[in-house]
Amino acid sequence: MRILVVGAKGDIGQAICAELQPRHEIITAGRTSGDHQVDLTDLASVQALYQAVGPVDAVISAVGEVKFATLAEFTPDQMLFGLQNKVMGQINLVLAGLNVVRDGGSLTLTSGILDRDPVAVGVGAATANAALGGFVKGAAIDMPRGLRLNVVSPGLLDVSAAKYGQFFPGHVPVAATRVGLAYAKCVEGLPNGQVVIVDG
Amino acid sequence: MRILVVGAKGDIGQAICAELQPRHEIITAGRTSGDHQVDLTDLASVQALYQAVGPVDAVISAVGEVKFATLAEFTPDQMLFGLQNKVMGQINLVLAGLNVVRDGGSLTLTSGILDRDPVAVGVGAATANAALGGFVKGAAIDMPRGLRLNVVSPGLLDVSAAKYGQFFPGHVPVAATRVGLAYAKCVEGLPNGQVVIVDG
């Protein structure tokens, strides 16, 4: 398959590529890295990305920023930032891709563990992650041309634990290889409308 | 208790008031109706509402607009509308209320069934509803002064079926009285961080 991976240079993106690269053609994209640059929050930029990449069988997103702060410090603007970036960015990728991905192809997004196992500074992530789950469930029933749509929701990756582990007290890190497999399931298998949980 | 109900004139708001009015002091608010007017999408308006109402033991929101369209017709702007209205509006009510609601009080939001039982034109609602569930789960663990935060997720109300039933093929309407009871559970009981599902 020909697969576009957006956010390929992040920890999750690298796990995805490590799993899929041996048996597929991978085109990478990122805000500042990869074969193509894209700003997912800008629909025109997303459309230009699809135009530049050409037909693909699968689109995978492993991107999305949110703000981290305690509830007492959290502002509406910080919350909106996560909705505009992690949520709308990935939704833009889906909406613009509906007429681009080949018949029977798939789109796979990335959320995360913090809506089912929250941490003190994670309310923005919890909101964004859950929104993506709802989007996938709501959109999957209406996908055209046999397209499928799923979201992978991984726990803290083992390779990310040194950097982010302090914010996840007691969380069991997930092997990056297992996270990569979840995307393979979404791309090479036939799930649709699923939140694919990968916990440690 | 002294309870502020935002969106009191809607079908859900009326069910809430019918349940709670006999044993509590209810102050109503709405965009154009009720004792006080408020634009939940404007943080300053929300703060002014709390200033005008004074101390309360509970805040209940039964508001929030989203756009309805098929996935093929859905635009990013329509999606963002729901996130800014149904999601951020209710989040503004919580964030501005954290220092206002009395010790041990509660805040109760409203989502809906469409993220767990989607319909053809409901992807915007599915996304917004799920986001609210994630927000409540992420925020509830960090509430100050014994405050509690929950969201009621009702199915299509029986009293709304004549107007909206056409969009919910095969859905079993929920008695409005049962929906009212879910809010009573959140206000008079002790749940925290719960998505309180009320299905038919």
Side-chain angles (χ1 to χ4, degrees):
Chain A
M1 295 186 202
R2 194 159 189 268
I3 303 174
L4 170 62
V5 179
V6 184
K9 291 298 175 203
D11 289 344
I12 294 174
Q14 289 184 46
I16 293 165
C17 291
E19 173 61 34
L20 295 174
Q21 199 111 50
R23 52 189 184 281
H24 300 287
E25 177 191 356
I26 306 293
I27 303 108
T28 62
R31 211 167 29 184
T32 57
S33 62
D35 303 326
H36 300 270
Q37 273 64 64
V38 64
D39 175 3
L40 288 191
T41 66
D42 175 2
L43 187 66
S45 176
V46 177
Q47 291 167 330
L49 170 68
Y50 280 124
Q51 185 76 27
V53 170
V56 292
D57 301 288
V59 177
I60 301 175
S61 162
V63 300
E65 279 185 280
V66 298
K67 299 292 187 186
F68 287 89
T70 64
L71 184 63
E73 292 167 341
F74 223 92
T75 66
D77 282 349
Q78 288 174 316
M79 184 63 68
L80 190 58
F81 177 89
L83 295 178
Q84 289 177 319
N85 279 266
K86 187 164 187 174
V87 179
M88 284 308 305
Q90 297 195 82
I91 288 176
N92 285 342
L93 195 64
V94 174
L95 294 181
L98 288 179
N99 295 318
V100 174
V101 180
R102 286 176 180 146
D103 290 6
S106 67
L107 300 105
T108 306
L109 311 182
T110 298
S111 59
I113 193 174
L114 293 182
D115 57 332
R116 64 181 176 279
D117 197 358
V119 301
V121 294
V123 65
T127 307
N129 291 346
L132 288 163
F135 171 72
V136 161
K137 287 185 209 166
I141 60 169
D142 202 17
M143 298 292 282
R145 302 180 292 105
L147 297 187
R148 298 176 299 100
L149 173 65
N150 300 283
V151 57
V152 173
S153 178
L156 176 68
L157 270 66
D158 53 6
V159 294
S160 312
K163 194 170 173 190
Y164 298 114
Q166 60 181 314
F167 300 114
F168 293 74
H171 279 231
V172 180
V174 187
T177 51
R178 289 186 56 199
V179 174
L181 283 169
Y183 293 87
K185 180 186 284 183
C186 292
V187 170
E188 300 170 338
L190 288 176
N192 187 33
Q194 299 299 307
V195 178
V196 179
I197 289 173
V198 194
D199 280 345
Chain B
M1 296 186 201
R2 194 158 187 270
I3 303 173
L4 170 62
V5 179
V6 184
K9 292 297 173 204
D11 289 345
I12 295 175
Q14 289 184 47
I16 293 166
C17 291
E19 174 60 35
L20 295 174
Q21 198 111 51
R23 54 191 183 279
H24 299 288
E25 178 192 354
I26 306 293
I27 303 107
T28 61
R31 209 166 32 184
T32 57
S33 62
D35 303 325
H36 301 269
Q37 274 65 63
V38 64
D39 175 2
L40 288 191
T41 66
D42 175 2
L43 186 65
S45 175
V46 177
Q47 290 166 330
L49 170 68
Y50 280 124
Q51 185 77 26
V53 169
V56 292
D57 302 288
V59 177
I60 301 175
S61 163
V63 300
E65 278 183 280
V66 298
K67 298 294 188 186
F68 288 88
T70 63
L71 184 63
E73 293 168 341
F74 224 91
T75 66
D77 282 349
Q78 288 175 316
M79 184 62 71
L80 190 58
F81 176 89
L83 296 178
Q84 288 177 320
N85 279 265
K86 188 165 188 175
V87 179
M88 285 306 307
Q90 297 195 82
I91 288 177
N92 284 342
L93 195 65
V94 173
L95 294 181
L98 289 179
N99 294 318
V100 174
V101 179
R102 286 177 180 144
D103 291 5
S106 66
L107 299 104
T108 306
L109 310 182
T110 298
S111 58
I113 194 173
L114 293 181
D115 57 331
R116 64 181 175 280
D117 199 356
V119 301
V121 295
V123 65
T127 306
N129 292 345
L132 289 163
F135 171 73
V136 161
K137 287 184 209 166
I141 61 169
D142 202 17
M143 297 292 282
R145 302 180 292 105
L147 298 186
R148 298 177 298 99
L149 173 64
N150 299 284
V151 58
V152 173
S153 179
L156 176 69
L157 270 65
D158 53 6
V159 293
S160 312
K163 194 169 172 189
Y164 298 113
Q166 61 180 313
F167 301 114
F168 293 76
H171 278 232
V172 180
V174 187
T177 51
R178 289 187 54 199
V179 175
L181 284 169
Y183 293 86
K185 179 186 284 183
C186 292
V187 170
E188 300 171 338
L190 289 176
N192 188 33
Q194 300 300 307
V195 178
V196 179
I197 290 173
V198 193
D199 280 344

